[in-house]
Amino acid sequence: MTDDLLRATFHGFEQIPLREYAERAYLDYSMYVVLDRALPFIGDGLKPVQRRIIYAMSELGLNASAKPKKSARTVGDVIGKYHPHGDSACYEAMVLMAQPFSWRYPLIEGQGNFGSSDDPKSFAAMRYTESKLSPIAEVLLGELGQGTVDWTPNFDGTLEEPTWMPARLPHLLLNGTTGIAVGMATDVPPHNLNEIVSACVRLLDDPDATVRDLCEHVRGPDYPTAAEIITAPADLLSLYETGIGSVRARAVFVKEQANIVITELPHQVSPSKVIEQIANQMRAKKLPWLEDIRDESDHANPTRIVLIPRSNRVDAEQLMGHLFATTDLEKSFRVNMNVIGLDGRPQVKNLKMLLSEWLSFRQTTVTRRLKHRLEKVERRLHLLEGLLVAFLNLDEVIRIIRTEDEPKAVLMARFSLSEDQADYILDTKLKQLARLEEMKIRGEQDELAAEREKLLATLDSKAKLKKLIKDELLADAKKFGDTRRSPLVARQAAQALDETELVASEPMTVVVSEKGWVRAAKGHDIDAAGLSYREGDRLLAAVRARSTQQVAFLDSTGRSYSTSVHTLPSARGNGEPLTGRFAPAAGATFEALASGGNDDRLVIASSHGYGFVTRFENLTSRNKAGKALLSLSDGGHVLQPAMVASVEADRIVTVTSAGHVLAFPVAELPELDKGKGNKLIEIPKAKRGTEKVVAIAVVPAGGKLLVQSGARTMTLAFRELEPYLGARGSRGGLLPRGWQKVDGLAVES
């Protein structure tokens, strides 16, 4: 393609680099999102779509005293005349302004299904619902036609729309707002009308008031629900001083006999979601204090969630503290008071900056309103002056109108009238002129003159202008103000309870089968061997525990795994495989188990005759793959651990497959965290392939050792162990003939 052809092809177009075009286009889009969609204007606190909805409804005559009209009619006007975007987004913005659970002071009064606090987006289609403006919308619209705002052409230039609303109250702080722009966002919480007006009055009286002074009036946000605000006063003060922070709200509950009833939820928290969160914990056995949960919410009680504890002994405060920490019953709200100021730029503002700029906006608005009214009064006085001349010279005026070809010019010359005065006289009907009375005209002139003087005095005096603004603020507060809904209560943020604190301490017996199936039975008098097992399976070991404790399992590689006793399946069934909870190495099998408190001591030993004392805490691990505990040599097995009551007084008893028994004080064995340990009993080299340690036991002073051999049991009292006493690592003594094939050891206290 030649250069001439190229120039001809792109004739009349600007050629710029793609990078420059993309950068310019993105910046234009970003500014549009920031200024014309996502962030509110400080003057009326509205985003463009909200402003256009309110204005369109006022143009349709849908004020508070009118009959409502179909919402589709309003949405059609909004998107057809002022906001050429999607109808669903426009309708959703409209619905939000009508939901009393979403906005503190709704601007729209809706009839029909406008959603619920459980599901705010469950509102009916716009063809079914009706709407009109609420009484408080008057605060935004009341002065619209009084020269208070600038007007701008709509998107197609056929109509004009207000650039902002002449708000009589700082709506931005009353209902708050949220929005996400490009590179910035806004989150302004709602506030109580009376508190905001009180702060405005304070700032009018004392322009040097600090944020701390203003916080004497604005104590904190005021959400549409009665959930408690538990943020500390110092944190709220910091929030208002910086314009950034967070507010924490907490549900309200009462006790009704043995039940706990939740009556209020934090703003925008769904009751069904909270119920689901609590139910999930109950199903996961993480909330054993609760028996049941019911949703009794209805029209009379919008929020009524009933929690039924398992017994009267359950501490309601402790239980609710756990639920506050683990569910949406306690929620934190971000605050980022980023708004478009009077200079047209977005900025994060503190409370004083917000109120000061709004009062400046209000002062400008009131000044424009007064000047607009002054112009009307002066024009009316001017016209009345001409009308009075016409009344006093009525016959002459009638003669001029009847006889003159150009009565307007003659009237202006004859009576020194202005063009407006002459037009007004000529536009007045004859019968009205005849009925006019001089006294009525002069009376109206006096009233208007007095009003003009008052307007001029107010405009010329800053003090009077401030007083007028203050009086109007107080009047609106008296008309629309209400009491605070969200109580401010000083509380600490809730902390979740440990699982053991939520579980009742009950005696349990943990049973493990040879194939690694685990279950837990209530009580300590359980015949573990008599339980039913899967075909081809039988008892491996059982241990006594408490429901609040941990239980540890040792596998054939010497690794230890642990879980909470109360999470184990009931012994009514066959239990569940340990491989479902843990991830042992391929081919590894579970060989022993133990349970106790973290500081309880026990002896860990291998079949090769080595072992050590350790604390139970060293057996616990949150890792599914467990932790290394006992080092085993080839062919070695883990023995069932033995619990130690007293390191100084207890004796360790070790028995081999050849019937050799050695007893020695526990104090002779070192305490380790993990490892191979020290030699417990001597096994001659020649017998190391055939003789192994069968079991170990720890016998307390005054206790008895039970030696099990087949179906027989031999009982040895503590003092009867003396023939088998020896130094750790020695050979020990031989059991009597007939008892040398030992199946296991047990201890009686």
Side-chain angles (χ1 to χ4, degrees), residues 270-414:
S270 164
S272 61
K273 184 178 179 183
V274 167
I275 292 172
E276 182 183 356
Q277 289 173 334
I278 297 174
N280 286 340
Q281 290 192 45
M282 293 172 67
R283 279 193 292 270
K285 296 185 178 181
K286 293 183 178 179
L287 209 55
W289 281 3
L290 273 187
E291 178 73 31
D292 194 12
I293 180 171
R294 293 200 306 262
D295 185 4
E296 297 183 357
S297 305
D298 54 25
H299 183 71
N301 302 287
T303 301
R304 182 177 170 84
I305 300 173
V306 182
L307 306 178
I308 304 171
R310 287 191 179 274
S311 73
N312 294 332
R313 291 173 295 175
V314 171
D315 188 331
E317 295 288 341
Q318 204 172 17
L319 171 61
M320 290 305 296
H322 175 74
L323 293 178
F324 288 144
T326 57
T327 69
D328 285 346
L329 288 174
E330 185 173 305
K331 188 175 180 182
S332 185
F333 298 91
R334 185 180 61 178
V335 176
N336 179 21
M337 297 196 282
N338 183 18
V339 300
I340 299 172
L342 298 181
D343 58 0
R345 296 180 179 179
Q347 183 186 3
V348 177
K349 303 179 186 293
N350 62 32
L351 181 62
K352 182 174 181 179
M353 292 170 67
L354 285 170
L355 293 180
S356 297
E357 280 200 46
W358 184 83
L359 286 172
S360 176
F361 165 81
R362 182 63 188 154
Q363 187 170 346
T364 302
T365 302
V366 172
T367 301
R368 290 181 62 162
R369 186 190 79 202
L370 295 178
K371 287 182 177 179
H372 179 77
R373 178 59 186 165
L374 182 60
E375 290 175 3
K376 281 185 169 291
V377 167
E378 288 179 336
R379 174 173 169 75
R380 180 62 180 167
L381 282 170
H382 182 61
L383 296 177
L384 286 176
E385 187 181 342
L387 201 59
L388 185 60
V389 170
F391 177 76
L392 295 175
N393 301 277
L394 188 56
D395 293 339
E396 179 66 11
V397 169
I398 292 172
R399 187 195 66 77
I400 292 172
I401 293 172
R402 290 181 62 189
T403 60
E404 296 294 336
D405 294 335
E406 296 289 340
K408 177 179 175 180
V410 176
L411 284 173
M412 291 172 63
R414 172 71 177 79

Side-chain angles (χ1 to χ4, degrees), residues 332-593:
S332 185
F333 298 91
R334 185 180 61 178
V335 176
N336 179 21
M337 297 196 282
N338 183 18
V339 300
I340 299 172
L342 298 181
D343 58 0
R345 296 180 179 179
Q347 183 186 3
V348 177
K349 303 179 186 293
N350 62 32
L351 181 62
K352 182 174 181 179
M353 292 170 67
L354 285 170
L355 293 180
S356 297
E357 280 200 46
W358 184 83
L359 286 172
S360 176
F361 165 81
R362 182 63 188 154
Q363 187 170 346
T364 302
T365 302
V366 172
T367 301
R368 290 181 62 162
R369 186 190 79 202
L370 295 178
K371 287 182 177 179
H372 179 77
R373 178 59 186 165
L374 182 60
E375 290 175 3
K376 281 185 169 291
V377 167
E378 288 179 336
R379 174 173 169 75
R380 180 62 180 167
L381 282 170
H382 182 61
L383 296 177
L384 286 176
E385 187 181 342
L387 201 59
L388 185 60
V389 170
F391 177 76
L392 295 175
N393 301 277
L394 188 56
D395 293 339
E396 179 66 11
V397 169
I398 292 172
R399 187 195 66 77
I400 292 172
I401 293 172
R402 290 181 62 189
T403 60
E404 296 294 336
D405 294 335
E406 296 289 340
K408 177 179 175 180
V410 176
L411 284 173
M412 291 172 63
R414 172 71 177 79
F415 299 110
S416 300
L417 300 175
S418 68
E419 188 173 345
D420 287 343
Q421 288 173 323
D423 284 336
Y424 187 66
I425 292 170
L426 291 172
D427 290 340
T428 304
K429 293 181 180 179
L430 186 61
K431 65 178 182 178
Q432 289 177 311
L433 279 172
R435 286 192 355 238
L436 287 175
E437 299 177 11
E438 181 181 358
M439 293 299 293
K440 285 185 179 179
I441 297 174
R442 293 192 183 279
E444 186 179 354
Q445 280 182 321
D446 292 341
E447 289 177 7
L448 291 174
E451 184 180 355
R452 178 176 61 183
E453 293 305 316
K454 187 177 179 181
L455 290 169
L456 287 171
T458 304
L459 287 168
D460 290 341
S461 170
K462 288 185 178 180
K464 289 184 178 180
L465 188 62
K466 280 187 178 181
K467 185 178 185 305
L468 175 62
I469 294 172
K470 185 196 303 183
D471 291 344
E472 290 177 350
L473 284 171
L474 293 173
D476 283 334
K478 185 176 181 181
K479 185 175 181 180
F480 300 110
D482 56 4
T483 56
R484 166 176 279 277
R485 289 188 194 171
S486 302
L488 295 160
V489 183
R491 299 188 193 276
Q492 294 293 325
Q495 297 292 327
L497 295 175
D498 187 81
E499 281 190 21
T500 57
E501 295 180 273
L502 289 166
V503 179
S505 181
E506 297 176 330
M508 305 286 286
T509 300
V510 181
V511 181
V512 176
S513 73
E514 287 184 347
K515 292 188 176 180
W517 285 68
V518 66
R519 46 189 156 162
K522 286 187 178 181
H524 284 166
D525 54 347
I526 303 298
D527 179 13
L531 295 175
S532 62
Y533 292 88
R534 296 164 62 89
E535 188 176 351
D537 201 3
R538 62 179 181 174
L539 174 68
L540 170 69
V543 68
R544 292 178 177 181
R546 306 290 300 184
S547 56
T548 55
Q549 291 178 333
Q550 294 268 308
V551 59
F553 305 91
L554 287 80
D555 71 5
S556 54
T557 66
R559 295 186 72 82
S560 175
Y561 312 79
S562 65
T563 188
S564 299
V565 172
H566 74 269
T567 65
L568 295 176
S570 168
R572 294 193 184 112
N574 290 321
E576 66 178 44
L578 286 170
T579 51
R581 288 181 178 244
F582 310 123
T589 58
F590 290 94
E591 296 184 337
L593 75 160

Side-chain angles (χ1 to χ4, degrees), residues 244-259:
I244 296 176
S246 64
V247 177
R248 186 173 287 274
R250 176 181 290 181
V252 175
F253 70 94
V254 294
K255 286 204 70 177
E256 290 186 2
Q257 298 176 349
N259 296 339

Side-chain angles (χ1 to χ4, degrees), residues 41 44 46 50-61 82 133 137-152 160-168 361-362 365-366 368-370 372-373 376:
F41 172 56
D44 57 13
L46 298 174
Q50 296 168 337
R51 188 178 301 121
R52 287 162 177 164
I53 290 170
I54 297 299
Y55 177 64
M57 293 183 76
S58 71
E59 288 294 285
L60 285 170
Y82 311 110
L133 293 171
E138 173 198 332
V139 168
L140 290 171
L141 293 161
E143 301 170 350
L144 191 59
Q146 300 178 26
T148 51
V149 301
D150 292 340
W151 295 79
T152 185
E160 286 197 329
E161 60 177 313
T163 309
W164 61 81
M165 292 291 181
R168 295 204 305 264
F361 165 81
R362 182 63 188 154
T365 302
V366 172
R368 290 181 62 162
R369 186 190 79 202
L370 295 178
H372 179 77
R373 178 59 186 165
K376 281 185 169 291

